[in-house]
Amino acid sequence: MNPDLDLRRADPSRIREWCRHGRFDRPTAGVALGFAQANLVVVRESVAADFEQFCRRNPRPCPLLEITAPGQFEPKKSAPGSDLRTDLPRYRVYRNGVCVDRPNSIIDLWDEAARQWRDNGGIAVREGRGRFVAFLIGCSFTFESALLRAGLPVRHIEQSCNVPMYRTNIETTPAGVFQGPLVVSMRPMSPEQADRAAEITGTTPEAHGPPIHVGEPRAIGIADLSRPDYGDPVTLRPGEVPVFWACGVTPTEAILRAKLDLAITHEPGHMFITDKRED
């Protein structure tokens, strides 16, 4: 990676190439501004229909951008020629509801799933041995360039860290084996700025839409803003209030509860950058 390159103006294909060769391992907030970013969820074919239904029942945290065919790792609509096994900065691997690894590539796991499926006679059973299906889900990083253009603060970009994300007391609508609490991302703003941010993000349902809550965090079950469940804490300045958006890490909580034999997500904040423009 060229250290002199302005990552805000980087081409998505260049970022994906760096990820593929292990040269980019950091959150993607503020990277390739103007292009849509996506959360990644990878599950076995045997539970893919359940997960798709979970997304459709919970469109605010899980706006679907693309679903790959079983065994396919190229998202042909979002980024032709890319590879979901390598083109994210970092992944999380879950086995039986426990995160067991945070690799930079999932090629070996993808090949393992394909081999199990072939060895099982091409039958995907609920206990495993199914090919993978990948889901790309909209991300709030997509609307941050619009916030910046409007002169609104994006604190985690200012502080060069990951966005803070919190587990709430709001339950999602279950579907099949998937259920769990809503996860939110937070950006501090003044009340006036929060109103303007709601107007801007209200036009982007594919990136979670407008905030789901503004103000008192305890009202949605968040006890301490300085201790996010995912990501990094950021500074809340005098006169500011926390502004919360639905977050694409919500499926991670559903995967933890489902205790699937094997599932994969992006590392929170380490997104897949698509070729699609934010608008």
Side-chain angles (χ1 to χ4, degrees):
M1 183 172 68
N2 182 353
D4 298 323
L5 180 69
D6 184 351
L7 293 177
R8 294 172 298 177
R9 295 176 174 81
D11 185 79
S13 63
R14 179 66 61 85
I15 300 297
R16 296 195 300 265
E17 180 184 358
W18 286 338
C19 291
R20 192 175 304 167
H21 294 96
R23 296 164 57 194
F24 188 93
D25 183 6
R26 50 151 287 180
T28 54
V31 175
L33 291 177
F35 290 90
Q37 299 198 26
N39 302 271
L40 174 70
V41 173
V42 177
V43 296
R44 298 222 191 241
E45 182 180 2
S46 54
V47 295
D50 281 358
F51 186 74
E52 180 178 356
Q53 185 70 358
F54 178 77
C55 293
R56 300 201 184 281
R57 290 180 178 177
N58 299 278
R60 288 291 290 278
C62 307
L64 280 173
L65 301 182
E66 185 169 354
I67 307 171
T68 65
Q72 297 300 310
F73 48 79
E74 178 190 358
K76 297 181 180 180
K77 296 179 181 179
S78 301
S82 63
D83 189 333
L84 292 175
R85 305 172 302 173
T86 59
D87 291 1
L88 284 75
R90 189 170 288 274
Y91 304 81
R92 283 195 179 187
V93 178
Y94 296 89
R95 292 186 185 271
N96 303 309
V98 177
C99 179
V100 297
D101 198 7
R102 298 170 59 244
N104 298 106
S105 168
I106 56 170
I107 286 180
D108 290 346
L109 291 169
W110 200 284
D111 290 347
E112 171 193 327
R115 183 172 58 254
Q116 290 174 336
W117 180 75
R118 288 194 299 270
D119 292 346
N120 200 48
I123 301 172
V125 296
R126 207 166 194 80
E127 292 76 18
R129 303 187 184 86
R131 292 174 295 180
F132 281 142
V133 177
F135 294 78
L136 289 179
I137 295 169
C139 173
S140 60
F141 286 175
T142 299
F143 62 58
E144 289 181 343
S145 58
L147 297 182
L148 293 171
R149 287 196 301 271
L152 299 176
V154 181
R155 191 62 37 79
H156 56 279
I157 293 180
E158 294 173 14
Q159 297 184 193
S160 299
C161 63
N162 202 353
V163 66
M165 293 161 273
Y166 305 87
R167 190 181 298 115
T168 73
N169 58 9
I170 303 169
E171 285 293 315
T172 56
T173 302
V177 299
F178 297 101
Q179 60 180 315
L182 174 71
V183 175
V184 294
S185 61
M186 190 278 288
R187 295 159 183 83
M189 298 181 181
S190 71
E192 296 77 14
Q193 291 169 335
D195 288 342
R196 179 63 179 136
E199 292 177 6
I200 293 170
T201 59
T203 65
T204 60
E206 71 287 348
H208 304 305
I212 63 140
H213 182 70
V214 177
E216 177 53 53
R218 291 182 182 273
I220 56 173
I222 300 170
D224 188 351
L225 288 178
S226 70
R227 300 181 65 183
D229 296 294
Y230 303 93
D232 302 312
V234 296
T235 303
L236 196 73
R237 295 172 182 161
E240 291 183 331
V241 294
V243 186
F244 300 96
W245 278 266
C247 178
V249 176
T250 298
T252 295
E253 293 291 324
I255 286 170
L256 291 172
R257 286 199 184 183
K259 299 186 185 301
L260 304 176
D261 77 299
L262 178 59
I264 302 165
T265 69
H266 65 293
E267 173 75 9
H270 296 61
M271 304 299 175
F272 179 75
I273 303 181
T274 75
D275 289 337
K276 290 183 174 294
R277 302 295 306 191
E278 66 180 46
D279 54 357

